[in-house]
Amino acid sequence: MTDTALNLVQSLLYTGDLLQPQGGALAFSAGSKLFEEGDGADCAYMIDSGYVEISKRTECGKKVLAVLGPGEIVGEMALIDGLQRAATATAMHETTAVVIPRQDMWAAINEASPIVRLILMAAMRRLRGTQSPDVNWTDEIDDPLDPQAGLNPYYDATRLTAANQLRARVALEAAIRNNEFELAYQPIVSLIDGRTNGFEALIRWPNPNGQAVSPGEFVPLAEMTGLILPLGAWVLKEALLALKSLDRILEKRGKGDGNVFMSVNVSPRQLESDENVEHLAKMLEQPDVDSSRVKLEITEQALLCDPKKAMVSLSRLKATGASLAIDDFGTGYSSLSYLHQFPLDTMKIDRSFIYRLTNNPGGQRVVAAIIALAHELGMDVVAEGIENASEVQWLQSHSCRYGQGYLMAKPAPLSTAVDYLDRHFEW
Ligand code: C2E
Ligand code: CA
Ligand code: CA
């Protein structure tokens, strides 16, 4: 336990009741109180050994509500809703308990989705209501489900965020069902000869009113809700079809040399379970798919969470014959000790580095170092987000072979994108 947590607890408790902490837990003698009804709350406890009686004062004397034992949490209610302790907790025998400081619990609560937070608050209010039916809790705690409520800004904000997220989730589910998504294709161009080598497939959600929802908004929501699994599978399927369409179109034009590749973004959640990875691998291993022309883009962050697991997933995908790119490189503080062990073919330098290139010697040194690192590890380099010719010139002179950005072309429907194959980009 940290000194701060210990001080916190010591300031809250009678020092007389507090025995010496043992092995990271606080010890309470039989009959001493962890807290009393009506106290303010700054921590909860997890009982390590012994038993704690939870009781309330009533007109007829003490009423025992529960007896809690090892592994159970006590004192969390007041910590969550910020109200006074609703009951008294008394050690029944010598009891040890680990302190859960307020800040730790709130850090965990704030990390949860707004829907989970809303459910927690609603459950808390109902629990308080059953424990003290005589108190009108709506006066004290804002009802998260009551549209008229407006007493507590935190609850209000949570309710609004949760409601928006629920609505967006429903809309996203319907859009997947109704096949409302499309792919746009952005060329990845050789900075040496200006030719298009491949495309990145980027998901689009067109809106009936013409205003597309940005993937920057709905992809994170799809990841949070798990809808990225059907959506990601749809993207791969559609991108594989597009690759075939491209070949047919080029063949008709007498130009089918069949070496254009298709990059597809894969979300970290698609790599989380062996089953999901297997699903992707099986799609790539279908007999009519030329997986050697497919590149899977995996963000740096996805590799960081659990590098050993990522290694297994990437090896399985690599075994399909597809190539692998590390996306948004530089944004995730890659563990360089792992980087060389991943079976990666391409490094995509994040747009934020390219944007800072011009007239920025510090930024240039960083990009030059990233390019050297990628080459050292045997990877191709793609610079993302190229918007002006001076960036191309700098990248050319620093051996960056490939680029992608609005300077060459914005993402476009396949019918437009195919024409980029005829072009020879110049800058
Ligand atoms: P990303 O994978 O880094 O994709 C590149 C993003 O940069 C795209 O944004 C692209 O339109 C944009 N971009 C390309 N060149 C330029 C440029 O010169 N300047 C600027 N300012 N932007 C440029 P988009 O299409 O909005 O996608 C945003 C992010 O959404 C993607 O970033 C990717 O993380 C995610 N995403 C898009 N499609 C998919 C998908 O099918 N699956 C998954 N999992 N994520 C996707
Ligand atoms: Ca990408
Ligand atoms: Ca990227």
Side-chain angles (χ1 to χ4, degrees), residues 186 200 202-204 215 219 228 235 265 267 327-328 351 384-387 405-406 411:
Q186 188 178 32
E200 177 174 0
L202 292 157
I203 194 161
R204 295 289 175 262
V219 169
I228 196 68
V235 169
N265 291 285
S267 148
D327 203 358
D328 303 341
R351 185 166 82 225
E384 297 188 295
I386 299 177
E387 293 190 2
Y406 293 170

Side-chain angles (χ1 to χ4, degrees), residues 67-381:
V67 172
L68 304 176
E72 294 195 89
I73 289 189
V74 55
E76 78 291 353
M77 278 174 59
L79 207 58
I80 293 171
D81 61 19
L83 299 179
Q84 294 167 337
R85 300 287 192 193
T88 298
T90 311
M92 295 177 73
H93 313 279
E94 188 164 312
T95 297
T96 55
V98 177
V99 173
I100 307 170
R102 176 195 285 278
Q103 61 268 34
D104 286 12
M105 184 169 281
W106 272 98
I109 292 173
N110 283 329
E111 264 176 30
S113 92
I115 295 166
V116 172
R117 293 207 303 267
L118 186 63
I119 291 169
L120 181 68
M121 287 169 194
M124 191 58 62
R125 180 180 167 268
R126 275 166 210 153
L127 188 63
R128 290 273 195 186
T130 54
Q131 285 192 353
S132 301
D134 46 323
V135 177
N136 178 5
W137 290 104
T138 40
D139 286 347
E140 303 205 31
I141 314 171
D142 190 5
D143 179 354
L145 300 175
D146 175 5
Q148 300 303 317
L151 297 175
N152 184 321
Y154 182 79
Y155 290 148
D156 271 358
T158 305
R159 187 177 51 230
L160 194 68
T161 321
N164 285 342
Q165 205 183 85
L166 279 169
R167 271 187 221 111
R169 184 205 164 111
V170 169
L172 198 58
E173 265 168 347
I176 295 174
R177 250 192 336 270
N178 302 334
N179 221 352
E180 287 175 25
F181 293 95
E182 292 172 2
L183 291 185
Y185 302 87
Q186 188 178 32
I188 294 171
V189 174
S190 159
L191 298 180
I192 296 168
D193 61 17
R195 298 252 164 237
T196 295
N197 283 71
F199 294 93
E200 177 174 0
L202 292 157
I203 194 161
R204 295 289 175 262
W205 186 4
N207 220 314
N209 64 19
Q211 282 233 306
V213 190
S214 155
E217 284 174 40
F218 70 82
V219 169
L221 178 68
E223 286 175 334
M224 201 190 303
T225 55
L227 290 170
I228 196 68
L229 299 178
L231 198 57
W234 177 85
V235 169
L236 180 57
K237 186 166 152 242
E238 193 68 14
L240 294 176
L241 288 174
L243 203 50
K244 281 192 207 148
S245 301
L246 269 177
D247 286 349
R248 271 197 305 275
I249 298 169
L250 291 177
E251 211 167 296
K252 267 193 202 151
R253 295 183 186 180
K255 294 181 182 165
D257 57 3
N259 59 10
V260 178
F261 70 86
M262 184 65 75
S263 257
V264 178
N265 291 285
V266 173
S267 148
R269 291 215 57 182
Q270 292 175 274
L271 302 181
E272 251 173 30
S273 79
D274 295 346
E275 196 189 342
N276 296 342
V277 173
E278 203 49 39
H279 185 56
L280 293 179
K282 287 275 174 329
M283 289 176 77
L284 291 162
E285 285 171 342
Q286 293 170 99
D288 57 341
V289 169
D290 181 358
S291 57
S292 69
R293 290 169 58 202
V294 180
K295 192 174 281 192
L296 302 176
E297 296 195 4
I298 293 142
T299 54
E300 199 184 3
Q301 263 97 354
L303 305 183
L304 278 180
C305 303
D306 185 348
K308 289 200 176 115
K309 172 121 191 35
M311 201 92 69
V312 175
S313 306
L314 294 199
S315 303
R316 173 66 186 103
L317 294 172
K318 180 84 179 167
T320 65
S323 52
L324 303 177
I326 182 165
D327 203 358
D328 303 341
F329 187 80
T331 57
Y333 309 103
S334 263
S335 163
L336 295 182
S337 56
Y338 273 107
L339 196 59
H340 73 280
Q341 295 179 39
F342 292 121
L344 295 162
D345 305 276
T346 302
M347 181 182 282
K348 296 191 78 173
I349 307 180
D350 190 64
R351 185 166 82 225
S352 54
F353 291 91
I354 306 307
Y355 165 78
R356 283 192 237 132
L357 261 185
T358 314
N359 301 326
N360 178 351
Q364 291 173 355
R365 274 197 296 275
V366 171
V367 176
I370 295 177
I371 296 170
L373 171 70
H375 288 161
E376 189 61 37
L377 297 175
M379 295 187 221
D380 282 336
V381 184

Side-chain angles (χ1 to χ4, degrees), residues 44-60:
Y45 303 87
M46 178 182 264
I47 303 168
D48 207 18
S49 67
Y51 287 87
V52 173
E53 177 196 82
I54 309 295
S55 64
K56 272 183 85 67
R57 286 185 296 267
T58 67
E59 282 166 7
C60 324

